[in-house]
Amino acid sequence: MSELKTITVSAAIFYQDNKILAACRADKKNYGLWEFPGGKIESGETSEEALRREIQEELSCHVQAAFFYDTVHYSYPDFNLIMDCYICTLKEDETPKAQPHIHSELRWLSQSELLDVSWLPADIELINQLGTFWNDIFAYQHL
């Protein structure tokens, strides 16, 4: 039996106006499931460099500030995921725009709306943490 491959990614938890940004996947395999935007870390990149590059590519905007939050480890049936998660802010006057081949929709969710969408399995525990510790995580002195 062969060992599953491991994919390492960075993900942005954008926080703005007491809401976080969720992105709905547009690919056939995960269509309709929601995630935090981001993507694979390429050879020679740091996790934060990958985050900034992926956000420019996926959302046509720029990360202003990125604070490391947590690393999620999740085993899917066909691969293992390691996801570095960052609490992020957008550069002033920028609005994320979904690239139709990556995300079908973007939505800003308040704490009470976190469970209104169907999250990818790797994001569920993170969503539960964010919902439970929202005020501590997003305290104004941290952002």
Side-chain angles (χ1 to χ4, degrees):
M1 181 178 355
S2 65
E3 190 174 310
L4 292 177
K5 69 177 177 178
T6 298
I7 298 175
T8 306
V9 302
S10 290
I13 304 168
F14 279 108
Y15 180 78
Q16 182 174 290
D17 298 326
N18 207 30
K19 294 183 177 188
I20 60 170
L21 184 67
C24 187
R25 295 286 297 261
D27 60 287
K28 187 175 182 179
K29 182 178 179 183
N30 294 302
Y31 186 83
L33 294 176
W34 292 76
E35 68 176 357
F36 293 107
K40 292 180 186 172
I41 301 171
E42 294 180 358
S43 179
E45 280 185 315
T46 67
S47 182
E48 186 175 337
E49 288 169 342
L51 175 82
R52 291 177 182 279
R53 176 186 51 76
E54 287 284 345
I55 294 307
Q56 286 176 324
E57 291 173 5
E58 287 188 10
L59 302 178
S60 300
C61 62
H62 298 87
V63 173
Q64 177 174 299
F67 304 96
F68 178 76
Y69 174 67
D70 197 5
T71 299
V72 172
H73 296 263
Y74 190 84
S75 292
Y76 283 99
D78 50 348
F79 68 95
N80 293 313
L81 179 72
I82 299 172
M83 180 171 57
D84 289 339
C85 303
Y86 292 83
I87 305 293
C88 300
T89 57
L90 288 166
K91 285 197 173 181
E92 204 170 314
D93 298 326
E94 285 201 335
T95 302
K97 296 168 191 68
Q99 300 299 318
H101 63 284
I102 301 171
H103 296 115
S104 61
E105 180 183 354
L106 301 176
R107 191 182 298 177
W108 289 95
L109 302 173
S110 66
Q111 181 182 14
S112 64
E113 297 170 319
L114 290 177
L115 300 178
D116 289 355
V117 299
S118 297
W119 292 92
L120 282 167
D123 292 332
I124 299 291
E125 184 178 333
L126 186 59
I127 288 301
N128 289 334
Q129 285 178 19
L130 293 174
T132 302
F133 301 107
W134 185 274
N135 292 331
D136 294 327
I137 295 166
F138 300 117
Y140 291 107
Q141 65 267 20
H142 297 293
L143 302 175

